Amino acid sequence: MLMHTLFALAEREVEMISGHFSTAILDMIQYMKEEWDILVVCIGSGTLPDWEGIDHVREYLEPHFPPRPERAAELYAIGKATEQPGWLVEVWPMLRTVFTVGSGVFATAIPKIKHYTGPDVQLRSQGYFSSEVPIGLVYDPSDMNLFKLLFTEFFEFIDVTNEGTTSGLLCPWQVNVGKMYEVVATAHKGLWRYRIGDIVEIAGFDPNDGTPVVRFVERQNPLTRLAGIMLTESQITSAILAVQDRLGLVSEFTTVIDDTIYIGYLVEIQGDLDPKADEAPARLLAEFFRLNERFRSALDSKQLKPPTIRILKTGTFMEYRRWKLEKLKVPGQIKVPVVMWDNTAREWIFQRVERELGYGSVPSESKH
């Protein structure tokens, strides 16, 4: 990613940025901030930095990276990003559009990207795709989570209230607006009634041909048990987003579950913490009460402990993705899990906690 960032930064007339996940866009911005001086020096001199892993491509890249002293001088004058919005438009005055995935858990990164782009750059979804089959195209360019199902594939639906059975598969014309369904795909390349594992909400039907228009809600499989209460990814996500007015703008997060009675959020905040951040855990608990009425009785009976919030160092999740890639030793997209079960990863991320806002009993690091 650093090499892509270097070549992009050398070009003044960048009009569009595209990244598969919104978190990848944030990683690029963080790289620019951290390596700013090196990047600008290299652009001015026309030399590639001595980064690990580029020796096999250096001779092919160098002819396409001439010295650009005027561009370097312009970047020096602009300087690193500040808290003022619109920094990317200063870097690339012709930037008009950013394409990325901004639904589900990736929605948390969108406000931070908007901060760096400013109000005049449009954020657009790339569409709705899975590894197995393309699902939908963007229906409304201004809505990053609204998709019209593709007619090249055939989709059926399982009502989420039907306990996940396939006995009542519904065709596209049988679904109801406002209800949630699991998607089942039959692809023209041979995939047959494959349960993708995504839950969507039917937002409506295209008036031109009646094709369903959907919103992605969450993954079907990840259900987390907390004191006998089943939590979905969307509930865990919506709870932390609901307390941003007391916490600050959440750019990314993960959670840990301990002994099935405690949920702790590990959160990266854009900018400074809100002055009333210490009120956020109480607001978070109130949000869980709203999401599931059983939370209150579980807390009263001491089956459940109050949630906590830990604030992570800026750039933690970018480092996490880099760390995971180094461990796996294979290229690919690394997603931050909504619930982190890997003990090694938990120990790694606990070391980057700057402050804890939570109240109540918190497990010691030795238990993780």
Side-chain angles (χ1 to χ4, degrees), residues 83-331:
E83 292 305 311
Q84 294 298 317
W87 179 62
L88 290 184
V89 177
E90 294 184 49
V91 172
W92 294 300
M94 298 181 67
L95 182 63
R96 296 293 179 267
T97 312
V98 174
F99 288 98
T100 189
V101 173
S103 55
V105 295
F106 297 106
T108 59
I110 296 302
K112 192 168 185 179
I113 294 175
K114 287 182 177 179
H115 168 80
Y116 287 113
T117 61
D120 297 328
V121 175
Q122 298 177 334
L123 266 65
R124 296 288 183 259
S125 173
Q126 295 177 324
Y128 182 8
F129 303 94
S130 70
S131 301
E132 299 83 6
V133 61
I135 300 172
L137 297 178
V138 174
Y139 187 69
D140 179 355
S142 66
D143 191 328
M144 297 194 71
N145 190 19
L146 193 63
F147 311 99
K148 178 181 176 179
L149 294 182
L150 285 167
F151 64 86
T152 54
E153 323 297 334
F154 182 70
F155 297 100
E156 295 170 287
F157 301 88
I158 301 173
D159 190 327
V160 295
T161 63
N162 197 24
E163 298 182 352
T165 64
T166 58
S167 58
L169 281 172
L170 301 173
C171 293
W173 54 87
Q174 295 176 306
V175 295
N176 296 312
V177 174
K179 293 197 67 174
M180 290 188 289
Y181 301 88
E182 180 186 350
V183 180
V184 179
T186 297
H188 71 281
K189 292 186 177 180
L191 199 63
W192 178 260
R193 283 190 166 172
Y194 180 77
R195 296 179 68 167
I196 296 171
D198 285 0
I199 302 299
V200 300
E201 178 187 356
I202 305 300
F205 300 89
D206 188 319
N208 295 313
D209 57 16
T211 301
V213 177
V214 304
R215 296 186 187 278
F216 175 82
V217 177
E218 63 186 348
R219 292 286 295 164
Q220 165 70 14
N221 295 328
L223 285 174
T224 300
R225 181 181 294 275
L226 187 65
I229 302 169
M230 301 306 295
L231 291 176
T232 66
E233 281 190 354
S234 64
Q235 289 175 324
I236 294 172
T237 301
S238 63
I240 193 65
L241 295 183
V243 302
Q244 290 184 107
D245 61 336
R246 285 293 181 271
L247 184 60
L249 195 60
V250 175
S251 58
E252 288 190 76
F253 78 94
T254 188
T255 62
V256 294
I257 305 292
D258 185 78
D259 295 335
T260 72
I261 62 170
Y262 156 86
I263 183 168
Y265 282 81
L266 296 130
V267 179
E268 192 173 328
I269 297 294
Q270 175 186 335
D272 297 328
L273 273 175
D274 190 278
K276 297 181 179 179
D278 286 323
E279 299 177 10
R283 293 284 294 273
L284 182 64
L285 182 59
E287 183 63 17
F288 274 119
F289 288 161
R290 187 190 68 80
L291 289 170
N292 194 314
E293 59 185 17
R294 293 184 58 195
F295 263 84
R296 190 180 299 277
S297 59
L299 189 69
D300 291 342
S301 62
K302 301 188 184 304
Q303 299 176 53
L304 183 68
K305 295 180 180 179
T308 60
I309 302 174
R310 297 168 183 170
I311 306 301
L312 298 170
K313 297 177 182 177
T314 300
T316 291
F317 288 110
M318 181 191 72
E319 293 178 15
Y320 170 81
R321 283 183 282 273
R322 186 188 302 170
W323 173 71
K324 289 290 286 186
L325 281 173
E326 290 173 354
K327 282 192 63 181
L328 295 173
K329 299 188 183 303
V330 292

